[in-house]
Amino acid sequence: RTALAPRDTAARRKGKARRGRGKARNEGLLSKQKRSRRMKANDRERNRMHHLNSALDALRSVLPTFPDDAKLTKIETLRFAHNYIWALTQS
């Protein structure tokens, strides 16, 4: 190896050490960020479920059910829709 090789590896190690997260932030700030991230994730999940439930309600409204007042569960709605589409393609 050349004489420059040890310096190159030392420079690489220094670069890698700088890339880490480090402990520059205090615990209060970290817990605040975790709480904020969790709240945002909860909001995203809540919105996702609202959209999913709205889509399932729209699907239920176009499926023929007997009797009309019985609300199908999510899995029942999907299975019934699958079978209904299959039956329509067979006819």
Side-chain angles (χ1 to χ4, degrees), residues 5 7-17 19:
R7 278 190 244 148
D8 288 342
T9 56
R12 279 190 216 129
R13 275 189 233 134
K14 276 186 182 178
K16 285 185 181 178
R19 287 186 206 156

Side-chain angles (χ1 to χ4, degrees), residues 2-86:
T2 65
L4 294 176
R7 278 190 244 148
D8 288 342
T9 56
R12 279 190 216 129
R13 275 189 233 134
K14 276 186 182 178
K16 285 185 181 178
R18 289 184 197 152
R19 287 186 206 156
R21 288 184 174 226
K23 294 185 180 183
R25 298 180 180 165
N26 61 16
E27 292 297 319
L29 184 59
L30 282 175
S31 69
K32 209 176 206 182
Q33 284 180 335
K34 285 181 183 179
R35 218 174 313 126
S36 174
R37 287 182 189 146
R38 178 54 23 215
M39 287 176 64
K40 288 178 184 177
N42 289 346
D43 287 340
R44 285 192 304 270
E45 178 64 11
R46 194 175 306 110
N47 286 331
R48 186 186 74 82
M49 289 306 298
H50 282 306
H51 287 109
L52 177 65
N53 289 333
S54 297
L56 285 168
D57 286 338
L59 182 59
R60 281 185 196 104
S61 70
V62 297
L63 292 175
T65 57
F66 306 99
D68 291 332
D69 60 346
K71 182 180 176 184
L72 299 172
T73 64
K74 291 176 184 176
I75 191 67
E76 289 171 342
T77 302
L78 293 174
R79 286 181 178 150
F80 188 79
H82 176 268
N83 292 334
Y84 184 58
I85 292 168
W86 177 83

